[in-house]
Amino acid sequence: MPFLCSCATGKYTMRKIWLLVLLIFYHAFPSKGISSISTRPRTVNVGALMSFNSTVGRVAKVAIQAAVDDVNSDATILNGTELKILMLDTKLSTGFLGIVDSLRLMENDTVAIIGPQFSVMAHVISHIANEMQVPLLSFAATDPTLTSLQFPYFVRTTQSDLHQMTAVAEIVDHFQWRDVIAIYIDDDHGRNGVSALGDKLAEKRGKLSHKAPLKPGNITREDINSALVKIALMESRVIVLHIYPSFGLDVLNVARSLGMMGSGYVWIATDWLSTLLDSNPSLFTTESINDIQGLITLRMYTPESEIKRKFISSWNKVSKEKNPVEGPFALNTFGFYAYDTVWVLASALDAFFRSGGTLSFSNDSSLNMLRGGSFELDSMGVFLDGEKLLKKILEVNRSGLTGEMMFGQDGNLVHSSYEVINVIGSGIRRIGYWSETSGLHTGESPNHSISGDGLYGVIWPGQTTQTPRGWVFSSNGKPLRIGVPLRISYREFVSRTEGTEMFGGYCIDVFTAALSLLPYPVPYKFFSFGDGKTNPPNTKLLNKITIGEFDAVVGDITITTNRTKIVDFTQPYIESGLVVVAPIRKMKSSAWAFLRPFTPMMWFVTGMFFLVVGAVVWILERRLNDDFRGPARRQFVTIIWFSFSTLFFSHREKTVSTLGRLVLIIWLFVVLILNSSYIASLTSILTVEQLSSSVKGIESLATSDERIGFPSGSFAENYLTEELNIHRSRLVPLNSPSDYERALKDGPANGGVTAIIDERAYMELFLATRCEYGIVGQEFTKMGWGFAFPRDSPLAIDMSTAILKLSENGDLQRIHDKWLTRSACSSEGAKQGIDRLELKSFWGLFLLSGIACFVALLCYVARMVYRFSRHSNSNSEGSSHSARLRSFFTFMNEREEEDIHMSKRKRTEKGSSGRVAHDEELDVQNYTRG
């Protein structure tokens, strides 16, 4: 109710104003008690509120009259009940007097009101509608705060500005703009629409950087000029114009006269402009068309259909009949919604009557206390079945000129969609759509696109196709004030030329190189920060941005979480995490250095496998190979010699058995790998300098009680105490590299420190000329340096892009080499662990060799058992178990040739004895015959 408050005098409260409205309301009404009309009355009274002389109202009046005629001529919709409508011209007033005039609509048992046209009026009349239970069906009140929660009897039969502002925000985000300026009429319609825009921009990480309200009513060119001059001095060039059609062209004309319709500007007009262009096609042939070149505007989308084509074709005739004085005039989108609103109401009334609803009115009992006054307010009538009719309205689901007319749970039409239009030359061009389901896209229709795919190309103000940047530096003629830390150490990063205000160094060169890649000039001036005696704290320097003293900060500024809360950083241009620097010493060479490539366990397992493989080969070869036979002492020496001679591939003994050769070839492969690995590791140990330190890294340092040095004023202090829980008493602030060196040389015993924690970029320069110190352990934070700008500064985004280009084209590395490349003693630091080879790296080889030995032995034993079983068949079967076992070992100890020879001899002896017996038998037989 802010409008009423502004119209009433200061001494009146809201309740007094409400009573005044009711008094005037009743003044136009006759006294009546309870009245009831039959279920199917002959006529139904409906009111309509609009401004007949406005762009929207003139079209809506004719569209509503045409819809009423079509409903009354259609016998299928109300079954003979005539829809009788009473229209009231609210003029162009959205104020209190227009509201009072509109109350006359309810004089004759009005069951519903179509309108009002203006959101300001809708706010007040909705209170009366709630009290009287009369539905309001507005085809033009788009204020998103007119919700069903506060105003249950308000039904919006057009699209809400909430959806329109969502579409605007997505257009802004599509072109990657962040700051937007809004120009609007300072009433409920303008304020609430722009508020919705701000919320939607925030969801896209954008913002309304400035709001320019214009007073409602008679706006003068001086008012417009004053608002636009302020906007012209601002950085943002993206302007959203949310205004009434009657004032919109005046704003654009003044903007053109101020040079604000040229290249670099972006103007987005809400649907008032498309409505104006549709209603006044003659604008394209007037001088006013030059004021809107390159603008983007929205238009509520209405799909093509047969009934829409018929309505458009008959419009000229209908508009001439309904308005013979002015003659035919053009149609706009609000005319379609006004027409459909009548049909929604007619459909709801038909369902209302079919469900047994009656047009019954009664006095408002809450006003009985006012009985006896001169106005007799207690006799005001309330539509008893108004809630039932409201329910039927919200249940309507029909297709009309505007497409599907169906309401969601929030009381708004579902499937809201808009056309995105670009004004070009003497016409307009649709460059895409926006819909709730698909966002921005260029499909055939808003509600049939699978996914958003952006917009077609736009012709922007200034007749350019290049997308405007959306912002410029403020037109106050002042260059950027850039703060630079006045360092006393590590001047390779930032330094000031003595006696001048000129700065140089790695950070300065990167900044100027990035600026040169921007597509626009950036005037700037460096300002030093610091006393020249100590390195200034960077946090205080960044705070200068927040208070507006500096527009940016350039230097060795580390990007941390806390700092990103107060400023915006660019893309990091150098990585520089925290490292530990401590004294290091060279590891002295040892007579036993050759043992260091293998761990003790590795040596032990390797030696055992040499012996095992030698024994296995001896077992497999001894029955076939004379080299593996002989006395026990000789055989033992052979096993040892053969085993270790394979290390150098110099074994003299030949292997003749298949199993022995299999075991040996696999073992020789293992030996080859072991030899190669040992030689490589030993070479590294003896040729690469090995360094050691008592400090192993940040973990060992944090758990000890030693003193730690850190750069004074650095973020490292808070990190060590808050993140690593190192007590503050252990930390020693140091100011310069000479302090670092002195503290490390003294050590904790003499008041110095065990180690220093600082950023890698600094430490690499520190170690370049100090070979007795080195970086130990790993870098334990991942940070970087960036340039700082105010929050939401568009320059930070463009500079980030420029830094990435520097990195891609190699310029960033060349600048680094120019300032920071030094012949460091040991830039990589101390290597804490020697790359000793462990057993786990070779267990697969040993497993392969072991499996080969086992399988070969298994096959050999099985073969010997089989041969022994055949050999023992010729012996006596009465032998004991122990005797057979001794015989088996004796059998295995014999040479293969002896075993074969004995078998042959036994077969020969057996054959000879058989022949002798046979000869003796023949002799006996011969002797007997003889």
Side-chain angles (χ1 to χ4, degrees), residues 393-459:
I393 292 174
L394 297 177
E395 291 176 353
V396 169
N397 184 2
R398 67 181 306 276
S399 295
L401 301 180
T402 59
E404 185 179 18
M405 297 292 290
M406 183 174 68
F407 299 93
Q409 294 181 352
D410 59 354
N412 290 316
L413 292 176
V414 299
H415 306 313
S416 295
S417 52
Y418 287 83
E419 298 175 71
V420 185
I421 296 172
N422 185 205
V423 181
I424 304 173
S426 60
I428 59 177
R429 182 173 70 98
R430 184 172 58 211
I431 58 175
Y433 299 93
W434 176 89
S435 66
E436 288 184 273
T437 56
S438 303
L440 293 175
H441 59 277
T442 56
E444 292 297 326
S445 63
N447 299 316
H448 295 86
S449 180
I450 299 176
S451 62
D453 54 0
L455 299 171
Y456 290 121
V458 181
I459 305 297

Side-chain angles (χ1 to χ4, degrees), residues 165-305:
M165 294 308 175
T166 303
V168 173
E170 290 201 18
I171 292 173
V172 172
D173 181 66
H174 172 72
F175 292 107
Q176 298 182 357
W177 300 316
R178 289 293 174 262
D179 289 353
V180 175
I181 295 175
I183 303 176
Y184 60 98
I185 293 296
D186 193 16
D187 61 9
D188 290 338
H189 169 72
R191 283 192 303 270
N192 296 330
V194 169
S195 177
L197 174 61
D199 294 339
K200 294 302 178 181
L201 286 173
E203 293 177 4
K204 303 291 184 180
R205 298 188 63 185
K207 69 173 183 177
L208 282 174
S209 59
H210 179 70
K211 297 179 181 179
L214 300 174
K215 66 179 182 181
N218 295 323
I219 303 175
T220 65
R221 289 184 66 88
E222 288 73 18
D223 297 332
I224 298 173
N225 187 81
S226 177
L228 292 181
V229 167
K230 294 179 181 178
I231 293 174
L233 297 176
M234 297 179 180
E235 293 184 355
S236 177
R237 287 292 182 264
V238 181
I239 303 172
V240 175
L241 189 57
H242 184 53
I243 204 168
Y244 293 118
S246 55
F247 307 125
L249 290 182
D250 294 336
V251 174
L252 294 173
N253 182 259
V254 175
R256 183 189 173 202
S257 66
L258 293 175
M260 299 176 64
M261 299 301 297
S263 179
Y265 279 90
V266 176
W267 287 83
I268 302 176
T270 51
D271 57 7
W272 67 266
L273 180 57
S274 62
T275 301
L276 188 64
L277 295 176
D278 291 340
S279 304
N280 300 278
S282 60
L283 285 175
F284 292 105
T285 61
T286 65
E287 184 68 19
S288 298
I289 193 63
N290 295 324
D291 299 336
I292 57 177
Q293 289 297 306
L295 266 69
I296 292 178
T297 185
L298 298 175
R299 178 165 60 192
M300 290 182 287
Y301 173 74
T302 56
E304 297 298 326
S305 63

Side-chain angles (χ1 to χ4, degrees), residues 855-884:
V855 172
L857 284 175
L858 186 63
C859 294
Y860 178 76
V861 171
R863 178 186 174 195
M864 291 298 101
V865 169
Y866 172 73
R867 289 189 175 183
F868 177 74
S869 62
R870 292 184 59 189
H871 172 74
S872 61
N873 287 337
S874 60
N875 297 336
S876 59
E877 298 180 358
S879 301
S880 64
H881 178 72
S882 59
R884 288 177 60 84

Side-chain angles (χ1 to χ4, degrees), residues 49-58 88-93 117-118:
L49 298 172
M50 68 201 71
S51 175
F52 293 167
N53 293 326
S54 66
T55 302
V56 173
R58 181 170 60 252
L88 181 63
D89 184 7
T90 62
K91 310 299 181 183
L92 291 176
S93 173
Q117 176 181 334
F118 299 106

Side-chain angles (χ1 to χ4, degrees), residues 715-735:
F715 73 94
E717 180 179 11
N718 290 334
Y719 182 86
L720 295 175
T721 55
E722 296 175 4
E723 301 295 332
L724 301 181
N725 298 319
I726 297 177
H727 198 274
R728 203 173 291 270
S729 61
R730 294 177 53 196
L731 303 180
V732 179
L734 303 171
N735 294 318

Side-chain angles (χ1 to χ4, degrees), residues 582-611:
I584 59 175
R585 59 182 176 83
K586 295 182 180 179
M587 294 181 63
K588 295 181 180 180
S589 181
S590 170
W592 303 100
F594 68 90
L595 295 176
R596 287 163 60 188
F598 288 168
T599 60
M601 179 57 70
M602 182 67 181
W603 280 118
F604 173 75
V605 173
T606 302
M608 291 301 298
F609 258 83
F610 271 110
L611 296 177

Side-chain angles (χ1 to χ4, degrees), residues 748-769:
N750 299 316
V753 298
T754 300
I756 291 176
I757 293 179
D758 202 349
E759 297 184 64
R760 175 178 285 275
Y762 299 131
M763 290 296 94
E764 287 180 348
L765 287 177
F766 175 78
L767 297 175
T769 57

